[in-house]
């Protein structure tokens, strides 16, 4: 059931009209870019959490 955490970044990034805008900007980057870049560490963290939980269950 922990595998469902991996759907979070997929669901957040697959719906492009949600983040297809330029405002708000962060450090000069339009929202479109920094929203996607935000999910690089988020996805890595979720993969790590799922991996640890599955590894500990065995």
């Amino acid at each position: 059931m922990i595998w469902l955490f991996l759907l979070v970044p997929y669901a957040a990034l697959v719906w492009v009209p949600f983040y297809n805008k330029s405002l708000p900007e962060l450090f000069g980057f339009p929202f479109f870019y920094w929203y996607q870049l935000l999910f690089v560490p988020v996805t890595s963290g979720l993969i790590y959490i799922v991996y640890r939980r599955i590894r500990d269950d065995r």
Side-chain angles (χ1 to χ4, degrees):
M1 204 55 127
I2 192 75
W3 289 90
L4 294 177
F5 278 118
L6 298 179
L7 290 176
V8 171
Y10 177 76
L13 292 171
V14 76
W15 188 36
V16 177
F18 174 71
Y19 60 92
N20 189 16
K21 50 190 169 188
S22 60
L23 294 175
E25 290 185 353
L26 182 66
F27 304 117
F29 288 100
F31 182 71
F32 181 79
Y33 291 114
W34 69 259
Y35 181 80
Q36 291 178 56
L37 289 174
L38 173 72
F39 278 95
V40 173
V42 168
T43 303
S44 298
L46 288 172
I47 290 172
Y48 177 74
I49 290 169
V50 169
Y51 168 75
R52 292 294 299 227
R53 180 67 62 94
I54 289 173
R55 194 180 97 195
D56 292 343
D57 287 346
R58 289 184 181 182

